[in-house]
Amino acid sequence: MAAVRSSGVDWTHYSGNAWIGCTEAGPGCSACYARAMMADRLRRVEWGPGKARLQVKGFAQKVRKANRESLKAGERRRFFINPHADLFDNEVPNNWRHEVFEIMKAAGTLDFILVTKRIGNAARMLPDDWGYGYTNAWLMATMVNQREVDRDMPKLERIPAIVKGLSIEPILGEIDLSAYLHLLDWVIIGGQSAQIGGAAPVKAEHRWVRKLIDQCLAAGVAVYFKQWGTGDGIRGGHLIDGAEIRQFPLRGIRRCLGCGCHDLHACISPAGNCHWSTETQCSVCQMRAMMAG
Ligand code: SF4
């Protein structure tokens, strides 16, 4: 990871909360680090249904600063939104969400990573101008076992997004992705870590992780193995069979929403983003559409 990283999360350069607070949404929340830190340790909010979420002043400034830094450096950088909340939380007023989308649209040098355990809410909570997906928004759904994958991948499939991903954090069992790999650009895998007040962590098994990595590598899907979780060392390390597997969806290249190829470049320069950064279809699809029309 580049030295610019200002987030505790390994796979992003920046992270920031538009609000804090959430409610557990499934087995993947059983040792929630956000709750452990923000509710149990720092007591900034109460956690759970009916508890007020806390809007964070300074979120917009943080995004703008990250955007300026990225532009100055001449590279796209990743920004993880809401590490201590869920963007598609039912208990958050829609105008809070819409403020976030407006802030995202104004920060074209950042790729925003939206991770949710509530992918079923996304279709009705996305803004009206989402269209094929904002060109700088990566939509990641968290699923932690085969039951959730089979239940939620069809929901992720129905939502357009320039980059679509699956976060298997924490991994709670053996998962077979073979029926879904064609839908994915990125898979993040991580073992569960113990949290004060949380349930006993599930230890990620080598064969679970190995199988997912091998499936992704064979299919050409970028895969990022973040950590073993509770085990040896603070987070259990992140090597598997002596190797570091930490890939990203191709830098500056995005999925064409016409044919699914990854031939949409999005170069930036101090003068601004290139023509293609706001397009959603590759040149071949655009040409076909012109000839057909
Ligand atoms: S959805 Fe995320 S932030 Fe919310 S309780 Fe679950 S793990 Fe915690």
Side-chain angles (χ1 to χ4, degrees):
M1 177 65 70
V4 296
R5 187 161 69 82
S6 70
S7 168
V9 181
D10 306 52
W11 40 254
T12 187
H13 298 93
Y14 304 98
S15 56
N17 293 299
W19 63 84
I20 296 168
C22 195
T23 298
E24 282 81 357
C29 302
S30 64
C32 170
Y33 73 92
R35 176 182 186 146
M37 180 187 293
M38 292 297 173
D40 300 342
R41 200 167 124 224
L42 301 177
R43 305 211 176 279
R44 290 188 65 187
V45 288
E46 288 186 77
W47 217 256
K51 304 296 182 190
R53 308 327 191 203
L54 177 71
Q55 238 182 335
V56 176
K57 289 193 181 76
F59 171 72
Q61 288 93 318
K62 187 170 189 179
V63 171
R64 283 198 290 270
K65 180 167 179 280
N67 193 53
R68 279 196 306 275
E69 289 176 359
S70 306
L71 191 56
K72 196 168 167 201
E75 62 176 13
R76 300 193 68 78
R77 290 180 180 166
R78 295 174 294 279
F79 193 112
F80 171 27
I81 290 189
N82 281 4
H84 298 117
D86 191 319
L87 188 62
F88 300 111
D89 183 351
N90 315 50
E91 296 187 57
V92 168
N94 257 332
N95 61 313
W96 288 19
R97 244 181 307 275
H98 287 157
E99 279 173 29
V100 172
F101 288 115
E102 290 302 312
I103 291 166
M104 285 168 53
K105 282 195 292 185
T109 311
L110 298 173
D111 288 318
F112 290 94
I113 304 180
L114 316 179
V115 186
T116 181
K117 283 196 170 73
R118 296 170 169 83
I119 193 63
N121 288 351
R124 64 187 165 85
M125 292 183 179
L126 284 167
D128 292 342
D129 66 355
W130 178 256
Y132 290 115
Y134 290 170
T135 55
N136 63 342
W138 300 6
L139 184 63
M140 308 284 296
T142 298
M143 303 168 207
V144 298
N145 55 33
Q146 189 72 50
R147 194 183 70 80
E148 288 194 347
V149 166
D150 293 335
R151 182 193 69 193
D152 290 345
M153 281 304 297
K155 299 174 192 167
L156 179 64
E157 180 178 10
R158 284 194 289 273
I159 301 175
I162 291 289
V163 168
K164 278 194 204 185
L166 172 61
S167 167
I168 308 177
E169 283 197 90
I171 182 167
L172 298 185
E174 185 172 358
I175 294 174
D176 180 2
L177 285 183
S178 52
Y180 308 108
L181 286 160
H182 63 291
L183 305 173
L184 295 168
D185 303 295
W186 197 24
V187 173
I188 298 173
I189 307 163
Q192 196 167 38
S193 295
Q195 302 294 338
I196 295 167
V202 173
K203 189 161 169 41
E205 291 191 16
H206 177 278
R207 68 190 168 88
W208 301 347
V209 177
R210 186 76 258 173
K211 176 176 174 175
L212 285 170
I213 290 174
D214 289 347
Q215 285 191 330
C216 291
L217 293 178
V221 175
V223 56
Y224 189 103
F225 179 45
K226 182 176 158 210
Q227 63 176 46
W228 285 105
T230 302
D232 302 326
I234 296 171
R235 294 191 299 174
H238 69 277
L239 299 183
I240 179 159
D241 301 323
E244 179 180 270
I245 310 284
R246 292 191 152 185
Q247 303 177 332
F248 293 93
L250 290 176
R251 203 182 177 82
I253 297 177
R254 296 168 292 115
R255 178 209 296 270
C256 163
L257 293 172
C259 64
C261 78
H262 282 83
D263 201 21
L264 255 182
H265 298 252
C267 305
I268 60 161
S269 75
N273 296 357
C274 79
H275 164 80
W276 291 100
S277 66
T278 53
E279 296 296 323
T280 54
Q281 301 207 344
C282 69
S283 54
V284 175
C285 283
Q286 290 193 4
M287 189 82 73
R288 281 204 186 111
M290 267 170 54
M291 288 168 74

